[in-house]
């Protein structure tokens, strides 16, 4: 459920196999209705995550046969619900929203990338390569016109705080935040203080 304003809600519901239904509501029974069902005919689908964006929601759907993830955007209308990108299998990161765009991580050809999109297939693209490191969008923080995030080596014993421009580029190394023992807590998250 995403509240866009007073009496203006968007919802995503997996009502049946191989589809995702989009609903709008004004907060009343009479004003609640499904406006679109996105069907993935002959596929097994899984609604993986969603995030609010400036005028609606972005959501990630995992599909099998062939395995891939699709990033969709919706402004709350059938005409304004569009696919933003088709990504290789393995994308499970929940998008982080900032200033009308979403940011998430996804692997491409064995390399981890930070991606950015603003609602179109043309602009949803990888912007920062992490190489052999990985990052999760729950560590993403936005301030001073930059994206800050924690990226860890595959063994989770070396993690760094990195920053980059919001439109991407090579990340700047800010600090090592863990070196030696495992950097990840029991819940899979890393907390950076300061």
């Amino acid at each position: 459920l995403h509240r866009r304003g007073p009496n203006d809600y968007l919802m995503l519901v997996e009502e049946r196999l191989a589809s995702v239904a989009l609903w709008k509501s004004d907060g009343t029974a009479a004003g609640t209705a499904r406006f679109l069902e996105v069907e993935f005919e002959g596929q097994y689908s899984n609604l993986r995550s969603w995030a609010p964006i400036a005028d609606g929601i972005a959501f990630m759907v995992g599909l099998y046969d062939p395995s891939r993830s699709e990033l969709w955007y919706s402004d709350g209308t059938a005409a304004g619900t569009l696919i933003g990108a088709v990504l290789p299998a393995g994308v499970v990161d929940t998008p982080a929203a900032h200033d009308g765009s979403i940011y998430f991580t996804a692997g491409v050809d064995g390399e981890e990338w930070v991606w950015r999109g603003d609602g179109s297939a043309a602009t949803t693209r990888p912007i920062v390569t992490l190489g052999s490191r990985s990052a999760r969008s729950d560590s993403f923080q936005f301030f001073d016109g930059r994206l800050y995030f924690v990226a860890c080596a595959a063994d989770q014993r070396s993690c760094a705080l990195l920053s980059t421009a919001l439109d991407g580029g090579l990340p700047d190394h800010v600090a090592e935040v863990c070196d030696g023992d495992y950097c990840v807590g029991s819940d899979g998250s890393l907390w950076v203080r300061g």
Side-chain angles (χ1 to χ4, degrees), residues 30-148:
T32 300
R34 180 171 54 172
F35 66 89
L36 180 67
E37 181 176 15
V38 179
E39 295 188 63
F40 306 99
E41 207 57 45
Q43 297 281 313
Y44 172 75
S45 65
N46 176 17
L47 178 62
R48 292 189 172 163
S49 59
W50 67 275
I53 55 175
D55 62 347
I57 55 175
F59 58 99
M60 194 83 69
V61 178
L63 298 166
Y64 306 95
D65 195 21
S67 293
R68 67 192 184 283
S69 292
E70 293 183 355
L71 175 64
W72 288 76
Y73 297 87
S74 180
D75 66 359
T77 66
T81 301
L82 306 166
I83 191 166
V86 177
L87 305 165
V91 178
V92 294
D93 197 20
T94 301
H98 176 72
D99 199 24
S101 293
I102 62 162
Y103 296 78
F104 59 95
T105 60
V108 177
D109 296 328
E111 266 193 286
E112 187 85 6
W113 287 80
V114 175
W115 290 63
R116 177 179 184 240
D118 68 1
S120 69
T123 62
T124 302
R125 60 185 177 80
I127 60 168
V128 178
T129 181
L130 301 175
S132 62
R133 291 182 177 252
S134 64
R136 290 180 28 175
S137 63
D138 58 4
S139 76
F140 289 6
Q141 296 294 317
F142 304 91
F143 57 92
D144 294 335
R146 297 188 64 81
L147 166 61
Y148 290 81

Side-chain angles (χ1 to χ4, degrees), residues 158-172:
S158 173
C159 297
L161 176 61
L162 305 175
S163 77
T164 188
L166 294 178
D167 60 354
L170 292 175
D172 294 326

